[in-house]
Amino acid sequence: MQTEMIQKLVNEARSVMENAYVPYSHFQVGAAILMNDQRIIAGVNVENVSFGATNCAERTAIFTSVAQGYPAKSIKAIAVAAKTKGFITPCSICRQVMVEMCDPETPVYLTRNDGEIFETTVKALVPFAFDKLDV
Ligand code: THU
């Protein structure tokens, strides 16, 4: 993908991160997904006093795209941001949601606080994915 578009997506993930609702972990995460019509949809983590009710930033963004009417496999790229020293990496529940909603080759841009970007793919994040019932 074009460098400017990657940077734009990452910038979106970094800025939306400030809206995270994180009274328990204080760990802000932002995600931005590029749709096949070039629109960008952002999401943050939203925590709950019942911790299991927490929604990660990646799923917030992906579920928002579904609510906005995008069919599965409309996502062209994903960026994730957090104020971490190392690269933020999606939890396994979010990875499974990516498997459902993205092409395996979809690029995923992991970032860290100093602005560095690490590119991976949905397939690399989830080898041997459970992606159908008729195995
Ligand atoms: N979290 C995300 O939103 N995305 C990730 O990639 C990793 C973890 C959230 C969940 C929880 O609100 C907080 O970060 C700490 O686990």
Side-chain angles (χ1 to χ4, degrees):
M1 219 170 66
Q2 263 192 324
T3 319
E4 302 88 78
M5 186 46 88
I6 296 170
Q7 198 56 60
K8 190 174 171 194
L9 198 62
V10 166
N11 291 348
E12 195 70 43
R14 285 169 71 92
S15 69
V16 78
M17 171 173 52
E18 301 300 332
N19 298 338
Y21 176 75
V22 289
Y24 306 104
S25 74
H26 306 287
F27 188 81
Q28 297 169 306
V29 185
I33 57 178
L34 178 66
M35 308 309 296
N36 55 10
D37 61 3
Q38 301 300 110
R39 279 196 49 221
I40 291 175
I41 295 174
V44 295
N45 50 334
V46 181
E47 298 187 341
N48 194 282
V49 62
S50 175
F51 297 164
T54 292
N55 209 65
C56 291
E58 296 91 326
R59 274 176 291 145
T60 302
I62 294 169
F63 293 164
T64 300
S65 77
V66 175
Q68 292 189 3
Y70 289 95
K73 320 290 181 192
S74 303
I75 299 169
K76 278 180 65 172
I78 299 175
V80 191
K83 292 172 181 168
T84 44
K85 263 208 308 198
F87 293 103
I88 179 71
T89 184
C91 84
S92 296
I93 298 175
C94 289
R95 293 179 195 213
Q96 184 65 28
V97 170
M98 290 175 192
V99 165
E100 184 78 24
M101 302 308 294
C102 305
D103 184 88
E105 302 301 334
T106 304
V108 183
Y109 300 101
L110 311 179
T111 68
R112 60 187 194 197
N113 196 37
D114 69 1
E116 279 297 307
I117 301 171
F118 180 86
E119 177 174 352
T120 184
T121 62
V122 170
K123 190 161 102 183
L125 288 171
V126 193
F128 300 102
F130 175 60
D131 59 359
K132 57 181 166 309
L133 295 177
D134 57 335
V135 182

